[in-house]
Amino acid sequence: MSPLKKELLIAPSILSANFAALGDNITRVEAAGARIIHLDVMDGHFVPNISFGPGVVKAVNGITQLPLDTHLMIEKPDRYLEAFRDAGADILTVHAEACTHLHRTISRIKELGMHAGVSLNPATSLTAVEEVLPMLDLVLIMSVNPGFGGQQFIPSSIQKIRTLAMMIDDCRSGAMIEVDGGIDASTIQSVIGAGAHYLVAGNAVFGNGNIETNFSHLHSLTLTRT
Ligand code: DX5
Ligand code: ZN
């Protein structure tokens, strides 16, 4: 499996889409230029909210060719790795806080033919991924406490992204940095400046206003530096 390309991408999170018109919302964001789709899977245990499971991932896979960036906010994710692979996940990200044997879980994701990511909650130190960095395709920094869309960006995430970028350089890992939570026109450029590659955006794309205009506006901000 070829490594992920280090490039700046907006990853629209369908958590904030209209679930009754999910196919339409995805088609529109894809037509507006999206090159990846972020899917937030929540189990009501690891996070206080419930979203959807492999069935929805499979349905999304059936209507788009875009890579599916699947973020598991679930306890004991090992039970479901194969189900998400079969559903069409391309990148599978688990939370370090939810895995007792993180090395084993990452190895299994890769054996199943997916790109492996690990996510850290705002209160979790980068040391939680240090030992496994060389084997990772992606590290997902949560810049809000996971569970809900539309929350405010936590400013200390910026320093965390900078430090992670240095750690990745130091160990020559190919891991991409993804940032998730509270990304909008006011935060996106500082996140990019700190070293992030994939920028998850839910509310800022599917919230108020027009999906195409929202996506294009955010995308234009990835092209210009202030
Ligand atoms: C939060 C999810 C995010 C969320 C981001 O638990 O992991 O992907 O949908 O939403 P916004 O961009 O609205 O903060
Ligand atoms: Zn997410």
Side-chain angles (χ1 to χ4, degrees):
M1 160 163 289
S2 51
L4 297 172
K5 240 178 51 204
K6 290 228 166 160
E7 57 186 337
L8 281 181
L9 290 182
I10 309 271
S13 162
I14 62 162
L15 186 66
S16 298
N18 175 358
F19 282 6
L22 193 51
D24 160 83
N25 281 199
I26 291 171
T27 308
R28 284 173 61 187
V29 86
E30 183 171 356
R35 292 176 44 214
I36 192 166
I37 299 290
H38 187 82
L39 298 108
D40 287 308
V41 176
M42 303 179 178
D43 66 353
H45 291 274
F46 181 71
V47 288
N49 195 7
I50 300 175
S51 59
F52 52 78
V56 169
V57 177
K58 189 171 178 195
V60 171
N61 192 41
I63 58 145
T64 181
Q65 302 288 326
L66 294 180
L68 303 185
D69 170 29
T70 310
H71 177 193
L72 299 186
M73 286 160 276
I74 65 176
E75 297 284 3
K76 301 200 176 86
D78 304 71
R79 297 172 294 169
Y80 296 103
L81 304 180
E82 211 162 330
F84 283 102
R85 193 275 312 268
D86 293 348
D90 295 286
I91 304 173
L92 199 61
T93 296
V94 295
H95 267 262
E97 304 87 353
C99 298
T100 310
H101 303 289
L102 187 57
H103 184 285
R104 178 183 290 151
T105 305
I106 296 164
S107 304
R108 185 74 188 129
I109 293 172
K110 295 173 76 135
E111 269 169 31
L112 287 168
M114 295 175 283
H115 291 295
V118 170
S119 183
L120 300 178
N121 284 334
T124 305
S125 163
L126 290 169
T127 54
V129 284
E130 198 172 6
E131 297 299 327
V132 292
L133 257 192
M135 65 195 291
L136 283 179
D137 298 298
L138 179 145
V139 179
L140 172 52
I141 298 293
M142 287 308 305
S143 42
V144 298
N145 288 294
F148 304 94
Q151 302 182 79
Q152 258 210 332
F153 185 84
I154 298 173
S156 58
S157 313
I158 295 293
Q159 187 51 47
K160 197 172 184 181
I161 299 162
R162 278 200 203 107
T163 309
L164 173 61
M166 287 191 287
M167 286 167 66
I168 287 174
D169 260 12
D170 283 351
C171 73
R172 295 193 171 76
S173 164
M176 316 286 298
I177 301 180
E178 184 170 40
V179 182
D180 188 354
I183 294 196
D184 60 17
S186 70
T187 52
I188 193 165
Q189 289 187 321
S190 48
V191 170
I192 294 171
H197 308 104
Y198 291 179
L199 312 144
V200 178
N203 210 48
V205 171
F206 295 108
N208 295 331
N210 171 279
I211 294 175
E212 291 82 354
T213 315
N214 290 343
F215 181 88
S216 303
H217 181 45
L218 278 185
H219 179 68
S220 69
L221 295 172
T222 67
L223 307 173
T224 55
R225 296 289 173 86
T226 50

